[in-house]
């Protein structure tokens, strides 16, 4: 399993416009083979912060989605990004 997680920072006044702009990307990802979860969401406390969380069955599934193309949404600028890919070797109940 692959997890992609982290944060993006955008100008606080542009956060809702950014999230609306990536809504179709989210819909496409969730329909993609191997996508278990895909979300870009507003941080409840920090106005310019967007949380990223994706779960994929495999690297191949993630790569296939990333290379699938599609329209490039017009988005406000991303001021910073800290997003990492994690390889999970095991899963268990919390």
């Amino acid at each position: 399993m692959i997890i992609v997680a982290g944060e993006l920072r955008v100008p606080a006044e542009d956060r809702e416009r950014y999230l609306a702009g990536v809504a179709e990307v989210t819909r496409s990802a969730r329909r993609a083979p191997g996508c278990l979860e895909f979300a870009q969401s507003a941080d409840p406390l920090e106005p310019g912060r967007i949380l990223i969380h994706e779960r994929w069955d495999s690297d191949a599934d993630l790569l296939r989605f990333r290379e699938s193309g599609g329209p490039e949404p017009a988005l406000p600028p991303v001021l910073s990004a800290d997003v990492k890919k994690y390889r999970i070797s095991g899963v268990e109940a919390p």
Side-chain angles (χ1 to χ4, degrees), residues 16-59:
E16 292 309 312
R17 186 166 66 96
Y18 182 94
L19 291 170
V22 297
E24 187 55 39
V25 173
T26 300
R27 280 189 277 282
S28 294
R30 290 180 180 180
R31 289 190 301 260
C35 180
L36 304 171
E37 186 169 25
F38 192 101
Q40 296 184 45
S41 58
D43 181 287
L45 300 178
E46 296 182 46
R49 186 172 182 233
I50 296 169
L51 304 173
I52 305 297
H53 182 78
E54 304 174 32
R55 285 189 310 126
W56 295 88
D57 275 331
S58 69
D59 276 310

